[in-house]
Amino acid sequence: MSDHLMCCRIVSCLMIMWLISDSGAASCPEPPPVDNSIFIAKEAEGQLWGTYLCTKGYHLVGPDSFWCNDSKEWDASTPECRLGHCPGPVLANGESNSSGPVNVREKVTFKCDDHYILKGSNWSECLGDHTWEPPLPICKSRDCDPPGYPEHGYFDGGAFTSGSVVTYFCKERYHLVGQRELRCLDGEWSGQVPACERNPEAPTPAGQIAFEKALHAFQERKDLCSATKSFLKRLEESGLTVDELKSSLEMKKAELKAKIVQHHS
């Protein structure tokens, strides 16, 4: 520290602290006085750098760091240290009951403009560390963003305003899994985008006939054990493969699902 020159001056309630080691850097003019602040300056990379720090109970409005340029002038406008521990909160598409800085433990309330909905708390308190608790809210549009498209599917409906509905459909050889309709409610869709799953491959005509006959034989018997034996016997006689049986069952399942969805939509 012996190579450094340190001096402190009080100017209009401004404390200026210089940490410089070069008389050339010292030729920069004194920074403009800012009430209720401390200005600290030091030499770095051959230039003079400075910053304002507000005293307790005040917050900085404007730039906080400056360079003394080659013209020996400070490169930024003079900030202010304003009374109040937290800067006045800004709520886009809304407003608060505060018009300026807020002191510690003071509370501010919020409301949104028409066609916007408040996401978060409608009040917040200024804390001693210059933060807000609960966190500041946002005002979100009541309209929705465009919904997503399912792979191999599409939706019908071009309006995404609050209350509007979109209806989903699948391309040929695919069936819908999930909600067919989604409604925009206060900026959020009422559910997840559905999926379009591929229909199972149809069994060969011979396999389909064999399956139908075996199923008919099963339905003719009232006793479950006897019906099961008859069903398995018919399958064995027909030579129906396991894959064909599985495909037939999947087809029946897909048809049943489609009927249920159609009934509820």
Side-chain angles (χ1 to χ4, degrees), residues 13 68 109 123 155 162 188 190 193 210 219 246 248 263 265:
C13 302
C68 181
T109 58
W123 66 273
F155 65 77
S162 184
E188 302 289 343
S190 58
V193 174
Q219 293 172 337
K246 182 178 179 183
S248 296
H263 176 74
S265 60

Side-chain angles (χ1 to χ4, degrees), residues 42-65:
K42 66 178 181 179
E43 186 184 0
E45 298 179 359
Q47 290 184 300
L48 193 63
W49 172 85
T51 185
Y52 285 96
L53 300 176
C54 295
T55 56
K56 186 176 180 179
Y58 292 81
H59 72 279
L60 192 72
V61 177
D64 61 352
S65 298

Side-chain angles (χ1 to χ4, degrees), residues 8-258:
C8 299
R9 296 182 57 190
I10 305 297
V11 181
S12 300
C13 302
L14 163 70
M15 180 181 292
I16 305 177
M17 183 177 296
W18 297 92
L19 301 174
I20 58 177
S21 60
D22 190 304
S23 58
S27 62
C28 290
E30 290 185 357
V34 174
D35 290 350
N36 305 297
S37 75
I38 298 173
F39 184 86
I40 299 177
K42 66 178 181 179
E43 186 184 0
E45 298 179 359
Q47 290 184 300
L48 193 63
W49 172 85
T51 185
Y52 285 96
L53 300 176
C54 295
T55 56
K56 186 176 180 179
Y58 292 81
H59 72 279
L60 192 72
V61 177
D64 61 352
S65 298
F66 303 82
W67 287 100
C68 181
N69 57 36
D70 295 336
S71 300
K72 302 303 180 183
E73 296 177 351
W74 296 102
D75 66 346
S77 58
T78 307
E80 296 179 67
C81 285
R82 295 181 183 173
L83 182 63
H85 213 73
C86 294
V90 177
L91 184 65
N93 304 307
E95 61 183 21
S96 70
N97 64 344
S98 172
S99 59
V102 180
N103 293 318
V104 178
R105 296 184 181 177
E106 284 188 1
K107 294 181 180 180
V108 175
T109 58
F110 307 94
K111 69 175 183 178
C112 295
D113 300 336
D114 293 341
H115 306 298
Y116 289 86
I117 185 170
L118 193 73
K119 295 291 185 179
S121 173
N122 66 348
W123 66 273
S124 191
E125 179 180 349
C126 174
L127 303 183
D129 61 356
H130 303 275
T131 62
W132 293 92
E133 183 63 35
L136 298 180
I138 62 172
C139 288
K140 181 174 173 53
S141 173
R142 291 184 181 273
D143 298 337
C144 291
D145 294 329
Y149 283 92
E151 189 176 4
H152 309 296
Y154 59 96
F155 65 77
D156 182 25
F160 310 133
T161 56
S162 184
S164 62
V165 175
V166 295
T167 305
Y168 282 90
F169 301 92
C170 292
K171 296 179 181 179
E172 189 176 356
R173 296 195 299 276
Y174 291 85
H175 64 277
L176 195 75
V177 178
Q179 292 181 248
R180 181 169 293 277
E181 293 185 345
L182 297 182
R183 183 180 298 273
C184 177
L185 300 172
D186 288 334
E188 302 289 343
W189 291 104
S190 58
Q192 298 295 321
V193 174
C196 288
E197 292 186 358
R198 188 175 180 85
N199 295 331
E201 295 294 335
T204 63
Q208 182 64 30
I209 293 172
F211 173 76
E212 296 291 347
K213 287 182 177 181
L215 184 61
H216 182 68
F218 177 85
Q219 293 172 337
E220 284 182 336
R221 303 296 180 93
K222 294 182 179 180
D223 177 62
L224 178 60
C225 183
S226 176
T228 303
K229 288 181 179 180
S230 178
F231 178 75
L232 294 175
K233 182 180 179 181
R234 285 296 184 94
L235 288 179
E236 184 179 358
E237 291 174 352
S238 66
L240 187 66
T241 65
V242 175
D243 288 340
E244 288 178 324
L245 174 61
K246 182 178 179 183
S247 296
S248 296
L249 293 174
E250 290 293 339
M251 286 286 291
K252 292 291 183 183
K253 181 180 177 182
E255 290 173 3
L256 181 60
K257 277 186 176 182

